[in-house]
Amino acid sequence: MENSIKQLLDGIVHPETGEGIVRSGIVEKVTADTEKITVTLRFRKARDPFALKIKNEVAARLRERYPALSDRITVFIREGEAQQPAQPAEKRTTTDRIAHIIAVASGKGGVGKSTVTANLAVTLRNMGYRVGILDADIYGPSQPKMFGAEGYVPDAEHDDATGADYILPADAMDMKLMSIGFFIRPTDALMWRGAMATNALKQLIHQTKWGTLDFLLIDMPPGTGDIHLSIIGELKIDAAVIVSTPQQIAVADVVRGVEMFRNPNVNIPVAGIVENMAWFTPAELPENRYYLFGRGGARAYAEASGTDFLGEIPIIQSVMEGGDAGTPAAATDPLTESYYRSIASKIVDK
Ligand code: ADP
């Protein structure tokens, strides 16, 4: 039985090497009897981004072949980080042809950082630029949803000429979209995400087939932490954009966010601050602006900290709906686009 399982499983290939997972040694152990089946997969590379995809496929094929055992099939993942070969000195990267890399960050989650990233990207695209989005928010990767690409399963491509392996991004309204969300499940524990994220992100950064881009926007995880340092360390980020809401601006998190980029060891220019959810205008009273969370805080903070104020975006129903529907509002609503265009122009000018 074990041999026929191995035969069955070798039909699954690792997208990067194109080799069957038994032949290439990924299937480390198979134990099977009439009661249960246990398969252990060992990935040489730590945090292999395709590990989950392969694990799910192994389970699915076994369930299909042995329906009677379907709830007694277990697949384990192991990683061979201990005997990892040293990194080759020459580092390959697919970011060479990206003109400007911009990190979009926030002190806290929920302030609209992902929404701003998506709408800024659409606006830059509308302005004629070639744009890519890297969703590095390991705690809540929301770009797939913003662009209706949730079901996308990235494939790998091997270039025989250079020997390089690429990961193919999703197409999001003619932009290149890569998200850590394509590789993790919402139910994965946070600690596991943190652990897997660093390595997986490195791969996403350097192996995604970005092609030639004018702008790559990075949807950063909220806050400041190790994961930020590793993203910053991997890439030559040209500028950071900080998103805040009026009520968060006075909070230490925003200051920490700005200071993280300004730290002499990091030294990334802060292009400025975007104030999101700045006011609310009800449809029946289009002339009225209600500053629900206070007014002018972001501008004042920007001035006090020597940072530029890039602009404000009100609470707009279509912005929220656009995010849920898979089409950012800047693509369909001229008023929303106009707010973003003024911010995008300032970023481009810099
Ligand atoms: P973050 O990335 O900072 O966690 P999100 O971009 O996911 O935040 O936004 C949080 C929620 O707020 C989402 O439901 C989003 O649609 C909504 N939202 C963000 N900005 C606006 C806005 N200007 N108007 C209306 N809703 C907004």
Side-chain angles (χ1 to χ4, degrees), residues 187-217:
T187 48
D188 283 338
L190 285 181
M191 61 169 198
W192 151 240
R193 286 196 214 185
M196 79 160 282
T198 309
N199 255 291
L201 272 179
K202 274 186 201 168
Q203 272 195 282
L204 296 195
I205 289 168
H206 297 298
Q207 282 180 244
T208 296
K209 204 169 181 188
W210 297 113
T212 305
L213 295 179
D214 298 304
F215 290 99
L216 176 67
L217 301 188

Side-chain angles (χ1 to χ4, degrees), residues 30-350:
V30 176
T31 52
D33 53 37
T34 48
E35 295 289 308
K36 64 176 192 315
I37 301 175
T38 309
V39 174
T40 306
L41 305 175
R42 178 171 290 276
F43 293 87
R44 256 159 305 177
K45 190 157 43 184
R47 324 296 177 209
D48 188 313
F50 293 103
L52 257 172
K53 180 181 149 114
I54 291 174
K55 177 186 170 179
N56 292 341
E57 204 168 332
V58 166
R61 289 211 187 179
L62 288 173
R63 263 187 249 117
E64 191 186 23
R65 173 73 68 90
Y66 305 99
L69 297 176
S70 74
D71 53 352
R72 276 162 292 154
I73 291 169
T74 318
V75 184
F76 292 110
I77 293 184
R78 300 249 187 284
E79 290 172 344
E81 19 189 7
Q83 40 299 20
Q84 275 271 303
Q87 288 279 318
E90 188 204 350
K91 193 165 161 192
R92 282 216 178 100
T93 180
T94 51
T95 59
D96 291 340
R97 287 187 285 139
I98 301 175
H100 306 284
I101 301 181
I102 296 175
V104 184
S106 69
K108 269 210 160 57
V111 301
K113 167 184 54 62
S114 305
T115 307
V116 169
T117 307
N119 283 286
L120 261 185
V122 168
T123 306
L124 287 166
R125 182 211 64 168
N126 289 353
M127 292 163 82
Y129 295 106
R130 289 161 295 186
V131 181
I133 302 167
L134 172 67
D135 180 6
D137 187 349
I138 54 166
Y139 305 111
S142 44
Q143 296 302 337
K145 181 150 192 273
M146 301 257 175
F147 288 98
E150 291 117 309
Y152 181 74
V153 181
D155 234 322
E157 189 182 274
H158 184 75
D159 183 344
D160 288 333
T162 60
D165 293 308
Y166 298 113
I167 306 174
L168 303 181
D171 175 83
M173 309 176 82
D174 292 331
M175 297 181 286
K176 304 269 164 71
L177 170 63
M178 184 48 77
S179 171
I180 188 78
F182 294 145
F183 299 92
I184 53 179
R185 290 172 305 189
T187 48
D188 283 338
L190 285 181
M191 61 169 198
W192 151 240
R193 286 196 214 185
M196 79 160 282
T198 309
N199 255 291
L201 272 179
K202 274 186 201 168
Q203 272 195 282
L204 296 195
I205 289 168
H206 297 298
Q207 282 180 244
T208 296
K209 204 169 181 188
W210 297 113
T212 305
L213 295 179
D214 298 304
F215 290 99
L216 176 67
L217 301 188
I218 307 178
D219 188 350
M220 298 284 283
T224 51
D226 291 348
I227 187 77
H228 298 77
L229 279 186
S230 59
I231 297 172
I232 289 166
E234 280 307 308
L235 277 167
K236 213 204 137 304
I237 296 176
D238 297 285
V241 170
I242 312 284
V243 180
S244 178
T245 55
Q247 72 268 51
Q248 285 296 332
I249 192 72
V251 175
D253 301 272
V254 172
V255 182
R256 270 199 287 271
V258 171
E259 291 311 317
M260 168 174 74
F261 292 108
R262 285 187 169 169
N263 183 290
N265 294 321
V266 171
N267 206 13
I268 293 173
V270 175
I273 294 177
V274 173
E275 187 172 56
N276 189 32
M277 311 199 203
W279 72 81
F280 175 66
T281 299
E284 319 77 73
L285 297 167
E287 301 304 315
N288 292 24
R289 288 184 175 189
Y290 295 97
Y291 292 84
L292 304 176
F293 307 121
R295 183 175 185 179
R299 201 181 284 269
Y301 169 73
E303 240 162 64
S305 62
T307 316
D308 281 347
F309 182 65
L310 293 174
E312 45 201 354
I313 296 155
I315 297 173
I316 310 174
Q317 197 168 340
S318 66
V319 166
M320 196 193 64
E321 290 167 353
D324 284 343
T327 312
T332 51
D333 175 24
L335 178 65
T336 302
E337 211 243 15
S338 71
Y339 291 117
Y340 278 101
R341 203 170 266 253
S342 134
I343 293 169
S345 308
K346 287 190 191 137
I347 295 174
V348 171
D349 286 347
K350 280 164 186 266

